[in-house]
Amino acid sequence: MAETIQKESAAILEIRGLQKAFGENTVLRDISLDVEPGNVVSIIGPSGSGKSTLLRCATFLETADGGDILYDGQYAVRGGVYAPKADLARFRTRYGLVFQSFNLFPHYSVMRNVSEAPILHGQNKDEAQEYARSLLKKMGLEGKENAYPFQLSGGQQQRVAIARALAMKPEILFFDEPTSALDPELTGEVLKVIRQLAEEKMTMVVVTHEMPFAKAVSNRVIFMDGGVIVEQGDPISVFDHPKEERTKQFLSVFER
Amino acid sequence: MTLMTMIMKMSEGLGKTCAIFFLTVLFSLPLGMIVALLRMSKNKVVSAVTRFIITVLRGTPLMLQLLAVTYGPYYLFGAGVARNKLIPVVIAFSINYAAYFAEIYRGGIESIPVGQYEAAEVLGYTKMQTFMRIILPQVVKRIMPSVTNEIVTLVKDTSMAFTVSYQEMFTIGKQIANSQTSFMPFLVAGVFYYLFNLIVDRVMGRVEKRLDYYKG
């Protein structure tokens, strides 16, 4: 960890000047963002605005071209240069990611989906399974331990995916449009458990199109467009008194 | 020669037919995985060379490959022809079938959604754990029907060993057919292969059923 330094900042996640382009197409231009412990940050914006790419860079699924990413004040990425693989592996244990398309392992039971990663990380099997069981109960999935993903509804699958991410005891949880692949009648049950996590002061970054949800649950809302953060602030100021023209335009679509 | 003696004589070659079959399955299945991984290598030279070898193995007759492996060393280096022809026969079959299995594996591996890799990566699975625990089991299920197809074909292809006069069932049958000017041995051979494949079908069906506990 020679490259990492302790910092004064209390932020769990710090992103500074993040740059990302896919070929000619610049997706992120100089994005900076802090996430403090216990906060819920929602990222909204039109598709193609770079929201998902931002999450994917923060979770190392995409490689940023430039900028810094720090977890707990330690550099995972500094000036576009990534920490050694072993360090990145340790940074990975600090966060969890919930995907739009769940990405559960179809050949594993619900229990194994949730408990295998902690066991592979050296946790005692009984303890990992017990913790998995308690998480599933919290997600309203008691009794589904032995089911396979194909036997569950989309909403149930996404809640298993949330339990799976929580099983690693992350300090911060990322959601990449967690309800976009769900039928409308199933989004509620997923948003409910995210709201419950927010009440428990889980630190979360949520990319979402669910505006009422973002307004209700967030400490801070970030509006992105064209690879930049156009506007950010507390939910009331962003949703009810947006300053930027582009924010107003975007939000007006949802008011109809 | 009575039908019974024909059947008895040809049965003597069944052991060798089975030897070709089981040894080829044993070697070609794992070899195919190695070939598939080389074919998908990020190193462009490795993948291009592997791709070329696969096209040669799939694009030329198995019969030719059998002759090449069995007699090639003699013509090329003046080396002796293997006394036990089972060795060159199994080598030729294994390499040939590995090429086919490699393409089946590759298709299977590439059909697994990228989200499976990403989910495993974020959860801290190593590359090896991801492949062995998440990807491979799903690939096996997806490719089972194609693998069964190849194995059924292999049963019948063992008859190709007659080209190098390896004394398996079909070679003996062909010799009897020639000496007795009878078509009967070919019918007997046909029944043998059919029964063999009936068993193969049962076994593979059972394997597929065991993988049926999940969908997706």
Side-chain angles (χ1 to χ4, degrees):
Chain A
M1 301 285 284
E3 283 298 307
T4 60
I5 54 154
Q6 288 297 325
K7 278 204 56 249
E8 301 285 312
S9 150
I12 287 186
L13 169 68
E14 260 183 279
I15 291 175
R16 293 194 212 126
L18 202 68
Q19 309 269 358
K20 174 69 186 174
F22 294 109
E24 299 279 283
N25 181 21
T26 304
V27 184
L28 299 177
R29 308 163 196 268
D30 197 25
I31 297 281
S32 296
L33 144 89
D34 285 3
V35 184
E36 276 82 32
N39 273 6
V40 178
V41 176
S42 291
I43 305 177
I44 60 171
S47 54
S49 59
K51 326 178 284 296
S52 287
T53 306
L54 175 58
L55 275 203
R56 292 174 61 82
C57 283
T59 52
F60 313 149
L61 289 175
E62 299 288 353
T63 308
D65 300 328
D68 306 332
I69 300 174
L70 297 87
Y71 281 96
D72 287 326
Q74 298 183 325
Y75 282 101
V77 183
R78 188 174 198 172
V81 180
Y82 280 71
K85 267 189 183 169
D87 287 348
L88 290 184
R90 265 187 293 124
F91 282 114
R92 271 193 198 99
T93 63
R94 294 172 185 261
Y95 60 75
L97 172 60
V98 175
F99 297 85
Q100 179 178 343
S101 49
F102 331 138
N103 296 344
L104 291 179
F105 305 132
H107 58 308
Y108 281 178
S109 66
V110 165
M111 174 50 83
R112 194 163 171 196
N113 261 289
V114 178
S115 64
E116 187 172 81
I119 293 169
L120 290 177
H121 277 82
Q123 228 187 81
N124 170 287
K125 190 178 172 185
D126 292 336
E127 280 170 29
Q129 290 192 338
E130 194 168 321
Y131 188 53
R133 204 157 295 157
S134 73
L135 286 171
L136 288 168
K137 189 176 170 188
K138 193 165 146 187
M139 295 295 129
L141 292 165
E142 216 174 355
K144 295 288 183 193
E145 289 83 358
N146 297 320
Y148 283 85
F150 80 94
Q151 296 165 319
L152 304 177
S153 72
Q156 289 172 324
Q157 289 190 48
Q158 191 61 301
R159 284 181 282 145
V160 174
I162 295 170
R164 180 174 72 171
L166 288 171
M168 292 295 289
K169 301 189 172 127
E171 293 165 28
I172 179 167
L173 196 50
F174 297 100
F175 291 84
D176 189 3
E177 301 193 25
T179 59
S180 294
L182 296 174
D183 292 335
E185 72 268 26
L186 299 176
T187 58
E189 62 190 55
V190 171
L191 296 180
K192 201 178 117 197
V193 298
I194 301 175
R195 195 167 294 166
Q196 188 188 336
L197 291 172
E199 281 160 15
E200 293 168 12
K201 294 292 166 207
M202 179 80 209
T203 313
M204 296 187 281
V205 178
V206 188
V207 169
T208 184
H209 291 297
E210 300 286 336
M211 297 306 153
F213 166 77
K215 192 174 172 182
V217 85
S218 315
N219 302 87
R220 188 147 46 99
V221 176
I222 292 176
F223 172 64
M224 277 181 74
D225 191 19
V228 295
I229 294 177
V230 175
E231 185 164 357
Q232 59 176 313
D234 62 83
I236 307 228
S237 60
V238 174
F239 281 110
D240 296 346
H241 314 287
K243 291 185 203 77
E244 302 292 329
E245 203 48 47
R246 272 196 287 176
T247 317
K248 287 177 195 167
Q249 241 173 30
F250 175 75
L251 291 173
S252 70
V253 177
F254 289 89
E255 274 158 19
R256 268 180 237 147
Chain B
M1 195 184 278
T2 66
L3 177 62
M4 204 56 213
T5 15
M6 268 182 206
I7 294 173
M8 293 304 289
K9 284 216 158 168
M10 288 171 70
S11 308
E12 284 166 23
L14 267 181
K16 288 179 175 171
T17 299
C18 288
I20 301 174
F21 174 79
F22 285 111
L23 289 174
T24 301
V25 169
L26 183 71
F27 294 130
S28 63
L29 283 173
L31 183 60
M33 184 52 77
I34 295 168
V35 176
L37 294 176
L38 291 175
R39 168 79 176 78
M40 291 186 295
S41 166
K42 276 182 194 138
N43 183 323
K44 285 205 172 113
V45 179
V46 172
S47 91
V49 169
T50 313
R51 187 177 183 169
F52 172 71
I53 293 171
I54 291 173
T55 59
V56 170
L57 289 169
R58 301 210 309 171
T60 61
L62 174 57
M63 201 182 281
L64 214 62
Q65 293 168 27
L66 271 166
L67 290 167
V69 174
T70 311
Y71 301 114
Y74 169 74
Y75 287 115
L76 288 175
F77 320 111
V81 174
R83 202 174 303 156
N84 185 353
K85 293 230 178 80
L86 179 62
I87 295 166
V89 165
V90 166
I91 290 174
F93 269 95
S94 298
I95 292 174
N96 180 274
Y97 270 80
Y100 284 92
F101 285 135
E103 288 298 277
I104 292 173
Y105 293 152
R106 185 171 68 91
I109 292 170
E110 286 175 352
S111 77
I112 303 297
V114 66
Q116 293 287 302
Y117 291 91
E118 293 183 348
E121 182 183 328
V122 171
L123 288 165
Y125 286 64
T126 63
K127 287 240 159 76
M128 195 63 171
Q129 287 168 339
T130 304
F131 186 74
M132 298 305 288
R133 291 171 179 268
I134 308 300
I135 306 303
L136 191 57
Q138 297 185 56
V139 168
V140 168
K141 181 184 166 95
R142 287 181 187 213
I143 64 173
M144 246 6 238
S146 314
V147 169
T148 303
N149 248 334
E150 286 305 315
I151 290 180
V152 166
T153 306
L154 172 62
V155 169
K156 297 172 288 179
D157 274 358
T158 57
S159 62
M160 219 88 85
F162 87 87
T163 45
V164 295
S165 325
Y166 180 61
Q167 295 289 314
E168 45 73 52
M169 185 264 287
F170 189 77
T171 309
I172 296 172
K174 206 168 177 310
Q175 286 159 355
I176 299 173
N178 284 341
S179 64
Q180 307 283 316
T181 47
S182 160
F183 191 71
M184 214 50 196
F186 294 130
L187 287 181
V188 173
V191 172
F192 272 138
Y193 288 125
Y194 179 74
L195 293 177
F196 199 150
N197 266 331
L198 221 53
I199 299 168
V200 168
D201 213 55
R202 275 282 167 81
V203 173
M204 298 307 281
R206 221 171 259 188
V207 175
E208 279 185 45
K209 208 158 191 192
R210 282 192 72 169
L211 294 170
D212 233 14
Y213 66 94
Y214 75 93
K215 288 195 185 77

